[in-house]
Amino acid sequence: MSEPPAKKAKAEFFSSVGKIQYEGPESTNPLAFKYYSADEVIMGKPMREWCRFAVCWWHTFNGQMGTDPFSTMRTHQRSWDKDLDALATYETRVDVAFEFFTKLGVDYYCFHDCDVAPQGASLKEFQANLDRISDKLLAKQKETGVKCLWSTQNLFSHRRYKDGAATAPDFDAFAFGCAQTKKMLDIGKKLGAENHVFWGGREGFMTPLNTDVKAELAHQAAFLKMAVDYQKKIGFKAQLLVEPKPREPCAHQYDYDAQTVIGFLNSYGLEKDFKLNIEPNHTTLAGHDYEHDLRMAAACGMLGSIDCNAGQPYLGWDTDEFPSDPRKALLCMQIVIEQGGIAPGGNNFDCKLRRESIDLEDMFVAHIGGMDCLARGLRGAVRLVQEGLLKKTLEQRYLSWSTVELAKKVEAGKASFEELEAYALSKKDEPELRSGKQEQLEQLINRYI
Ligand code: XLS
Ligand code: NI
Ligand code: NI
């Protein structure tokens, strides 16, 4: 009798890479974690829960990898990308992606509709493709335990959205955008997505000469309102998120930065239904510090999730690099810790490999680097918060607001200009002031990196 045939091993797409392990800060292995130890509990939570890392589909699997505005010729050649438009290729990529997530040890992924399914010749065909692929995504989620951090619709790539979707001058583009969004809310529900993102890709203008700004803003609000209504109607529990960006592709985008978006949501009564997905690279494009929008959103109780990437401060466009600066990571994670965590949001790597980084392993190396950078930031931020030195200095700086009786009255909204004038006159010309201690604090921060 012949031997029974050996059980056929499942084909691996990343056969040279095993499950990525934590080796500690002394390790020089590019395929190991030096700071991120997923199950290690710090400040009451495992690191995986503080970080809630996600891989983004669009920069990692969707077929444009290694292209740039000067070349559509891909430099990232992948064995599984045989026929780029075929549904079968998209199906294979689901296997690729989940092998990648599992080996890397991330708990979440994020995607746009057209990242995972071909758009076909019509909206109807696109919807059917999405139904089919999302069945497979769901099966893979169940098999691996990897979950969807956020779902979203791409309302900026198809030619019909040349002038935007929610703010399009042509009503048909608006209607198609709504249809695509409705479908993705259904798919998000099916996959148990924990958030749903609205990035207004082309919601803005190239020239104000052809743009009715007032009407467009009202249309955008109507669009978001209908999304909220539909989400409630189908019982989809995800946190809704708006992602600000100041420019690119439009010269001016309405969702300029965190404060602008919060103001917009407030003006249209949408502030209870949405939070923000902040991308530091967009924040720097808006002319702010890297972590500025995280801070502004958090201060308003509106920080929902993070697209943790980085840019080139001297270039001025969205380069979507993996984060590698531990000082910036520290400041970001401090904000996350101070608001008690980022759930149900997370840290999504809206990042892409450089065109020059052509090895398959670079996919892992880049994500490991990004995860480690934030994990290092987290470890430092925990010490910074626990030692409390920064907090103490801050308290000292604002001490007068809790010690001067009239100041307390101002905060309670009960003071008048007359009282403040009398107080100022009683001080003669010498108000009591404290040092800002900037240099001391900058050195203090370095202690935790
Ligand atoms: C583009 C945006 C985009 C969103 C999702 O700049 O960052 O990738 O995150 O539509
Ligand atoms: Ni983003
Ligand atoms: Ni971006």
Side-chain angles (χ1 to χ4, degrees):
M1 247 174 78
S2 59
E3 294 261 305
K7 228 174 152 200
K8 208 171 149 233
K10 236 169 73 198
E12 286 190 40
F13 297 97
F14 304 98
S15 50
S16 66
V17 182
K19 172 100 174 77
I20 306 300
Q21 307 291 336
Y22 171 69
E23 291 184 2
E26 299 308 318
S27 170
T28 54
N29 177 3
L31 289 170
F33 294 116
K34 289 99 195 158
Y35 298 94
Y36 182 62
S37 171
D39 294 314
E40 186 181 329
V41 174
I42 37 180
M43 232 176 145
K45 267 197 262 244
M47 289 183 94
R48 66 166 77 241
E49 184 52 26
W50 278 119
C51 298
R52 295 172 62 83
F53 287 130
V55 170
C56 87
W57 206 286
W58 52 101
H59 289 315
T60 321
F61 308 110
N62 81 353
Q64 277 118 51
M65 292 94 62
T67 60
D68 70 10
F70 305 95
S71 173
T72 51
M73 201 181 267
R74 295 171 52 180
T75 59
H76 304 164
Q77 304 279 305
R78 305 295 185 227
S79 63
W80 55 84
D81 276 344
K82 298 207 172 68
D83 175 356
L84 287 183
D85 298 320
L87 184 62
T89 304
Y90 284 79
E91 280 183 329
T92 307
R93 285 197 198 131
V94 177
D95 294 316
V96 174
F98 279 80
E99 183 187 327
F100 182 72
F101 304 151
T102 313
K103 287 188 167 169
L104 183 63
V106 284
D107 296 329
Y108 293 96
Y109 70 101
C110 302
F111 72 104
H112 303 81
D113 43 8
C114 64
D115 301 334
V116 299
Q119 305 207 46
S122 67
L123 188 59
K124 216 164 165 198
E125 203 180 314
F126 188 21
Q127 293 187 338
N129 289 342
L130 271 169
D131 286 335
R132 182 150 159 197
I133 298 274
S134 55
D135 284 345
K136 184 158 183 184
L137 289 170
L138 187 59
K140 276 288 178 186
Q141 286 185 194
K142 286 190 180 142
E143 180 190 318
T144 59
V146 174
K147 292 166 280 186
C148 179
L149 184 70
W150 50 263
S151 40
T152 190
Q153 49 290 327
N154 178 323
L155 305 184
F156 45 89
S157 293
H158 198 283
R159 64 177 166 273
R160 69 172 84 98
Y161 302 125
K162 71 178 183 63
D163 307 292
T167 65
D170 291 309
F171 177 70
D172 282 7
F174 181 90
F176 270 76
C178 292
Q180 236 180 285
T181 306
K182 174 180 175 289
K183 183 69 185 171
M184 273 314 280
L185 290 166
D186 289 330
I187 301 276
K189 184 186 174 199
K190 172 173 169 182
L191 298 177
E194 298 186 20
N195 304 267
H196 192 88
V197 163
F198 295 81
W199 173 55
R202 292 185 196 270
E203 317 303 358
F205 50 85
M206 298 308 279
T207 169
L209 297 177
N210 61 14
T211 306
D212 182 343
V213 168
K214 194 165 173 233
E216 292 198 354
L217 284 171
H219 296 163
Q220 172 156 296
F223 164 77
L224 292 177
K225 177 80 181 42
M226 285 190 280
V228 172
D229 291 345
Y230 188 69
Q231 186 205 21
K232 287 197 178 127
K233 192 165 166 195
I234 62 172
F236 176 29
K237 297 277 177 273
Q239 167 71 62
L240 303 181
L241 301 166
V242 176
E243 181 176 326
K245 185 173 182 179
R247 61 182 68 86
E248 206 196 31
C250 295
H252 177 90
Q253 298 205 198
Y254 292 124
D255 296 335
Y256 192 89
D257 63 0
Q259 277 186 283
T260 310
V261 172
I262 292 169
F264 168 81
L265 293 171
N266 281 332
S267 341
Y268 289 94
L270 292 161
E271 71 281 2
K272 300 253 177 323
D273 297 305
F274 289 86
K275 284 193 175 175
L276 270 51
N277 180 40
I278 299 296
E279 182 166 319
N281 194 29
H282 297 175
T283 311
T284 51
L285 286 181
H288 303 306
D289 268 353
Y290 185 83
E291 77 291 351
H292 172 96
D293 269 5
L294 292 178
R295 180 161 288 124
M296 300 318 284
C300 298
M302 294 290 273
L303 175 58
S305 200
I306 305 170
D307 270 3
C308 55
N309 61 7
Q312 293 279 354
Y314 314 108
L315 275 185
W317 76 83
D318 197 5
T319 53
D320 291 325
E321 296 176 28
F322 284 85
S324 62
D325 183 332
R327 188 174 199 277
K328 291 183 169 128
L330 170 80
L331 295 172
C332 292
M333 291 314 281
Q334 182 204 348
I335 295 166
V336 169
I337 291 174
E338 284 175 347
Q339 73 163 28
I342 192 70
N347 277 291
N348 167 46
F349 289 104
D350 191 348
C351 310
K352 60 180 173 228
L353 283 177
R354 299 304 89 195
R355 181 170 161 82
E356 300 82 358
S357 303
I358 56 174
D359 292 348
L360 191 61
E361 276 186 12
D362 291 332
M363 286 173 70
F364 281 94
V365 172
H367 282 87
I368 293 167
M371 291 161 82
D372 256 347
C373 179
L374 288 176
R376 180 171 169 180
L378 171 69
R379 288 179 186 277
V382 164
R383 282 202 295 130
L384 176 121
V385 171
Q386 283 177 338
E387 288 186 12
L389 298 174
L390 195 62
K391 190 158 173 252
K392 225 185 195 157
T393 324
L394 205 68
E395 279 165 8
Q396 283 300 315
R397 192 157 191 235
Y398 289 84
L399 196 62
S400 52
W401 284 91
S402 54
T403 50
V404 177
E405 283 311 311
L406 183 56
K408 289 196 238 170
K409 227 174 145 185
V410 170
E411 282 198 337
K414 293 196 173 121
S416 67
F417 262 8
E418 290 86 335
E419 289 169 280
L420 281 144
E421 183 190 45
Y423 175 86
L425 289 171
S426 78
K427 287 269 149 177
K428 312 269 178 341
D429 283 327
E430 285 306 323
E432 281 178 51
L433 302 176
R434 289 173 176 77
S435 167
K437 300 271 180 221
Q438 181 171 335
E439 299 77 5
Q440 183 186 316
L441 296 175
E442 280 164 352
Q443 293 308 316
L444 180 71
I445 288 292
N446 287 345
R447 174 183 153 83
Y448 302 101
I449 294 166

